[in-house]
Amino acid sequence: MVIMRTELLKERRLLSHRDARMSTDQIGSIHIPPVAVYAWLVFRLYHRNALLSAILILAFAAGAFAQNGDTADTIRIDSDLVNLQVSVLGQDPLKPPNFLQQRDFVVLDDDTPQEISFFAAADSPFDLVLVLDLSGSTANKLKMIRKSAQRFVEACRPMDRIAVITFAEDLEVVSPLTSDHKVLEHEIDDISRLTDGTRFWDAMRFVFEKIVAPGQSSRRTAIVIMTDGVDNALPDVTGPGSQSTFEELVNLEERSDAIVFPVYLDTEKEEVQKRRTPASAYVSAKAQLAQLAEISGTSVRKANKLADLESVYEQIIRDLGTVYSIGYRPTNITRDGKWHKITVNLVDRSELTARTRTGYYAGALASTTPK
């Protein structure tokens, strides 16, 4: 076997020497799988030495791939493990929290303390989806919306990807997920007001199902939604509204890995005074935005002017960028498909808040990774 490996190494060096003479254009367009390399070597040695040599090399190659290739490329999912990705936010946006240890966290599953079996902390790239309300009620805030979207892009790191979606009665994908931030800034500059009407729930459904659908990315995902929250499907609101219901939107968010950060654009005074939207609609809209935030473990940010968001950009980016991965096996699990509430508390850290998903469905541990 030592002789065969020596022959194999010689052939591989020969192959590398020949590849070095290839032009950069050729190399850039060719990918040779390792299995193909081994097959080529077997062919060479078969004709040079003997059939036995080829058989021995195949055995050696098979062992190498079994030990290296499969384990590196195959992900085995423990269906009893609940994986949480936890963000920690300080009360003072100018003083980011230091990295915490496993002992700083307490995990409750349906109010039952759980033993943490996996813990890691790291800076991690993420996907950010900006969803912008361009309906008639927000028309006088278009400049602020553009500027705010650009500030989010500027605050993101080069490795972070961003998508931009605008909506009113219709929906437009200004940009799919991309890390080309310069192009994004130009795309945002060109954003213009859409048609009247507001289909907020439909827009969010589109984002959950098409942009951040489960399995599309292994990255942490967040949705920043800038809106007054008034969907024209609310009672006594005129104009075309969503076909989806708010209850369906809640269900989508509960099952999603994405975290929602609502930014409330206050249009109530002007719209109510002009009798275009009843005050009752704003009561419902604000309650619904608060519910979406609660599911994700975030809070609603209010923006009347650009200055209101100055501390929000860096805070949200920092919140997303630092990830605490926590895994545990529920001691009280029953696969009945029911909702299990998750609570993550911090020990003796009153100045900090832990944010994660609010729960999971017990029958879907293998396919749902709560955050």
Side-chain angles (χ1 to χ4, degrees):
M1 179 63 72
V2 174
I3 296 174
M4 291 303 102
R5 293 189 64 172
T6 302
E7 290 291 322
L8 179 62
L9 291 174
K10 288 181 179 178
E11 292 298 331
R12 291 190 68 175
R13 283 195 294 269
L14 178 60
L15 180 62
S16 300
H17 179 70
R18 289 177 178 175
D19 283 347
R21 297 199 302 264
M22 295 175 67
S23 68
T24 54
D25 291 338
Q26 289 174 310
I27 293 174
S29 62
I30 294 177
H31 170 69
I32 303 176
V35 174
V37 174
Y38 276 105
W40 181 84
L41 293 174
V42 168
F43 176 79
R44 288 286 305 272
L45 290 175
Y46 171 81
H47 288 279
R48 179 183 297 179
N49 297 312
L51 178 61
L52 178 60
S53 300
I55 295 173
L56 289 174
I57 290 173
L58 278 177
F60 166 73
F65 286 117
Q67 293 175 10
N68 299 324
D70 289 346
T71 54
D73 298 333
T74 301
I75 299 175
R76 292 177 175 82
I77 298 175
D78 186 338
S79 60
D80 292 328
L81 187 70
V82 177
N83 297 304
L84 303 177
Q85 294 192 34
V86 183
S87 297
V88 175
L89 181 63
Q91 301 296 329
D92 187 348
L94 300 179
K95 295 180 180 179
N98 296 324
F99 278 114
L100 302 179
Q101 306 297 320
Q102 178 174 329
R103 62 177 178 269
D104 295 315
F105 293 85
V106 174
V107 178
L108 305 177
D109 190 306
D110 276 348
D111 299 321
T112 302
Q114 304 294 313
E115 180 180 355
I116 296 175
S117 56
F118 174 81
F119 180 86
D123 288 335
S124 178
F126 59 79
D127 289 342
L128 176 65
V129 183
L130 298 176
V131 184
L132 311 177
D133 183 349
L134 300 185
S135 60
S137 60
T138 64
N140 63 347
K141 297 184 182 294
L142 180 57
K143 184 177 179 180
M144 186 190 75
I145 291 172
R146 281 203 205 100
K147 286 290 186 182
S148 298
Q150 287 174 338
R151 295 287 180 85
F152 272 111
V153 174
E154 292 168 1
C156 286
R157 302 160 301 179
M159 59 185 172
D160 302 325
R161 300 191 305 177
I162 309 167
V164 180
I165 311 294
T166 59
F167 72 93
E169 179 182 351
D170 302 316
L171 179 145
E172 180 180 351
V173 179
V174 176
S175 172
L177 285 168
T178 179
S179 56
D180 192 335
H181 297 177
K182 289 297 183 183
V183 171
L184 267 176
E185 290 175 7
H186 290 303
E187 295 286 355
I188 292 171
D189 275 336
D190 293 335
I191 288 176
S192 58
R193 183 173 172 267
L194 299 178
T195 56
D196 287 331
T198 308
R199 291 180 171 171
F200 168 41
W201 306 336
D202 283 348
M204 289 295 289
R205 180 168 195 154
F206 174 85
V207 172
F208 278 122
E209 293 183 341
K210 303 298 182 182
I211 308 297
V212 299
Q216 286 193 359
S217 174
S218 60
R219 294 183 173 208
R220 186 140 200 229
T221 304
I223 303 169
V224 173
I225 169 68
M226 300 182 66
T227 180
D228 58 11
V230 177
D231 193 294
N232 283 31
L234 286 169
D236 302 321
V237 180
T238 59
S242 290
Q243 296 181 355
S244 305
T245 65
F246 180 72
E247 289 72 23
E248 290 171 339
L249 176 57
V250 167
N251 184 263
L252 285 169
E253 185 183 359
E254 288 177 343
R255 294 179 178 273
S256 174
D257 289 342
I259 292 182
V260 177
F261 291 87
V263 176
Y264 175 64
L265 303 176
D266 191 355
T267 63
E268 181 174 4
K269 183 177 181 180
E270 180 179 356
E271 290 296 301
V272 171
Q273 283 181 347
K274 293 182 178 180
R275 297 185 178 181
R276 291 189 294 215
T277 308
S280 59
Y282 282 92
V283 173
S284 297
K286 286 185 280 189
Q288 290 175 352
L289 288 176
Q291 186 175 349
L292 295 178
E294 182 181 5
I295 292 170
S296 288
T298 62
S299 58
V300 179
R301 314 301 177 99
K302 187 175 181 180
N304 288 323
K305 54 187 181 299
L306 190 62
D308 293 336
L309 294 174
E310 285 300 329
S311 64
V312 172
Y313 311 114
E314 298 290 343
Q315 196 170 13
I316 288 181
I317 301 308
R318 186 179 66 237
D319 193 15
L320 292 172
T322 303
V323 177
Y324 294 89
S325 297
I326 297 177
Y328 70 94
R329 290 179 173 82
T331 57
N332 55 338
I333 192 66
T334 53
R335 294 186 175 279
D336 52 9
K338 292 183 179 179
W339 178 257
H340 279 239
K341 182 181 70 173
I342 293 174
T343 306
V344 177
N345 295 325
L346 295 171
V347 179
D348 298 328
R349 296 278 185 164
S350 58
E351 77 282 10
L352 302 177
T353 302
R355 294 179 174 178
T356 190
R357 296 293 298 182
T358 56
Y360 63 93
Y361 287 96
L365 283 181
S367 59
T368 300
T369 306
K371 273 185 172 180

